[in-house]
Amino acid sequence: MKEPLLNIKDLKVSFFNNSGEVKVIRGVSFDLQKGEVLGVVGESGSGKSVTSMSIIKLLKGTGQITNGEIIYKGEDIVKKSEKEMMKIRGNDIAMIFQDPMTSLNPVFTVGSQISDVIRRHQGLSKAKSREKAIEMLKMVGIPSPEERYSNYPHEFSGGMRQRAIIAMALSCEPDLLIADEPTTALDVTIQAQILQLLMELKEKIDTSIILITHDLGVVANTCSRVIVMYGGLIMEEGTVDDIFYNPMHPYTRGLLQSLPKKNTEERQRLIPIKGNPPDLAKIVSGCPFKERCPHAMDICNKEPEYYYDGENHRAMCWLLDNSIKKGDESNGK
Ligand code: SF4
């Protein structure tokens, strides 16, 4: 088996406040192969964005990696200094965020911001950087890129701004692109176009992608593998087919039931997951989904292990343990 591009082992991240430590990531392990598109799905508070910020060591506020390794191209990112990380960010690993306005500076033209990134990371001359920036704007489908180069962000539509951000992120041809809710702020048609564009560029540039989203529908057509996160843990991991056609975890099944089905004329009853996403400060032990799970049992007060269906499909739920009597759904809350 080939060395993965990224291998995260037992990652734990905490934030610290006046009341003490809040464990936000509680032991996450997964890997990413070169050229792969991995979807990371979960509601807000699941830990998906904190996981991605850990990969580029840009945790906000008091966030700290308290355990684990993030092996990227054979080296542990956790041990890297800020100076070393500055070389990796943008060059090797790039990131796209949900709101393009927060990534673009309103007082500089879009083109100059892209050529700046190219100049800084690739050491090209001003003229060459400009040329490459125009090429990138063209590649992401911005019409009249030479003229648009001199526009300010407010002169771009939301969809065009996100395209410009993608151009900026991919301008240094990173090996890994982390896209955190890249289409959430956009309307549905533009969402589809941006996702399509990302997939086309992935082929051209041969970038691996981690696509973070709260929407399982978004991963269906774009990802090869999916991780479902909840309460700072991976609840289920598998191929897109595993997750959509053979979900093992009650939370994954809940997410799927709350998803509108395509290509059906029948009126559909969408079943939302009851309750609210977990308050990470309050999760002490056991399965983090137990407060909302219709199958919770006494044993769910203890953290479940992973159970496997085949080599690569795993889920963390006591229901998958054949030695436990499922009649005992006594709701051990
Ligand atoms: Fe539900 Fe228990 Fe499984 Fe958690 S471990 S998902 S509470 S049955």
Side-chain angles (χ1 to χ4, degrees):
M1 178 125 176
K2 276 195 307 188
E3 266 294 286
L5 179 71
L6 179 74
N7 182 11
I8 298 186
K9 296 179 196 169
D10 199 21
L11 178 70
K12 294 182 183 164
V13 178
S14 293
F15 285 77
F16 296 85
N17 58 27
N18 292 341
S19 328
E21 180 180 3
V22 180
K23 294 178 180 173
V24 176
I25 304 294
R26 304 197 297 143
V28 159
S29 304
F30 67 90
D31 57 30
L32 176 78
Q33 300 296 331
K34 189 155 175 29
E36 193 177 26
V37 184
L38 174 73
V40 181
V41 183
E43 294 164 286
S44 56
S46 61
K48 54 193 194 309
S49 292
V50 175
T51 304
S52 65
M53 294 308 258
S54 305
I55 298 171
I56 50 168
K57 281 183 86 178
L58 277 183
L59 287 167
K60 290 189 183 132
T62 59
Q64 267 179 39
I65 296 172
T66 55
N67 186 73
E69 292 177 344
I70 300 173
I71 309 294
Y72 176 73
K73 291 185 176 173
E75 291 182 28
D76 189 0
I77 285 214
V78 176
K79 296 195 180 114
K80 299 255 175 225
S81 66
E82 180 52 24
K83 201 170 160 201
E84 289 171 309
M85 284 313 296
M86 279 168 77
K87 278 195 203 134
I88 292 175
R89 288 184 211 119
N91 263 341
D92 257 288
I93 306 178
M95 195 146 179
I96 302 172
F97 297 97
Q98 178 179 334
D99 180 4
M101 273 321 251
T102 58
S103 309
L104 287 169
N105 189 329
V107 300
F108 295 106
T109 65
V110 173
S112 69
Q113 294 184 59
I114 300 174
S115 61
D116 246 23
V117 170
I118 296 169
R119 210 142 41 108
R120 221 168 335 122
H121 289 284
Q122 295 192 345
L124 296 183
S125 68
K126 212 169 170 183
K128 283 271 173 224
S129 308
R130 186 177 197 279
E131 222 172 85
K132 173 115 197 231
I134 290 171
E135 195 187 297
M136 289 308 295
L137 285 172
K138 190 171 171 196
M139 193 158 123
V140 297
I142 303 272
S144 319
E146 287 88 357
E147 286 138 54
R148 286 299 195 167
Y149 179 94
S150 308
N151 282 171
Y152 288 89
H154 73 269
E155 295 174 285
F156 274 37
S157 66
M160 271 179 24
R161 280 197 290 265
Q162 197 57 306
R163 281 170 192 265
I165 288 297
I166 294 173
M168 196 187 288
L170 296 181
S171 58
C172 297
E173 305 188 0
D175 287 326
L176 171 60
L177 176 70
I178 302 172
D180 191 352
E181 305 274 9
T183 58
T184 304
L186 305 170
D187 73 45
V188 180
T189 330
I190 310 290
Q191 262 189 25
Q193 288 173 10
I194 297 285
L195 289 172
Q196 174 71 25
L197 171 70
L198 268 179
M199 294 310 119
E200 285 168 15
L201 295 176
K202 177 199 111 56
E203 291 304 320
K204 268 192 203 158
I205 294 177
D206 197 21
T207 298
S208 309
I209 299 180
I210 297 181
L211 179 64
I212 295 161
T213 175
H214 64 278
D215 184 350
L216 255 182
V218 164
V219 303
N221 298 321
T222 46
C223 300
S224 41
R225 235 164 16 99
V226 187
I227 280 172
V228 179
M229 286 191 72
Y230 191 89
L233 287 168
I234 293 175
M235 295 287 104
E236 184 160 0
E237 176 181 0
T239 62
V240 167
D241 280 357
D242 289 334
I243 299 294
F244 278 83
Y245 299 115
N246 182 26
M248 297 203 290
H249 197 281
Y251 178 58
T252 314
R253 289 203 289 269
L255 285 178
L256 288 167
Q257 281 175 344
S258 59
L259 203 66
K261 310 256 176 322
K262 281 188 184 157
N263 309 327
T264 174
E265 304 213 327
E266 284 168 44
R267 282 190 67 189
Q268 302 165 33
R269 200 160 73 89
L270 303 181
I271 308 167
I273 302 173
K274 287 194 181 120
N276 297 313
D279 178 349
L280 292 164
K282 289 191 184 142
I283 297 177
V284 187
S285 62
C287 171
F289 191 52
K290 67 184 179 210
E291 300 299 328
R292 301 169 78 187
C293 179
H295 309 287
M297 307 170 272
D298 285 338
I299 195 170
C300 303
N301 288 314
K302 200 171 130 197
E303 192 173 292
E305 297 164 23
Y306 284 106
Y307 295 90
Y308 284 79
D309 177 22
E311 209 181 315
N312 301 313
H313 185 192
R314 61 174 173 147
M316 179 190 258
C317 174
W318 285 117
L319 286 175
L320 303 166
D321 185 327
N322 289 328
S323 67
I324 291 173
K325 255 176 60 201
K326 306 301 176 329
D328 179 29
E329 291 179 8
S330 52
N331 211 334
K333 294 177 230 171

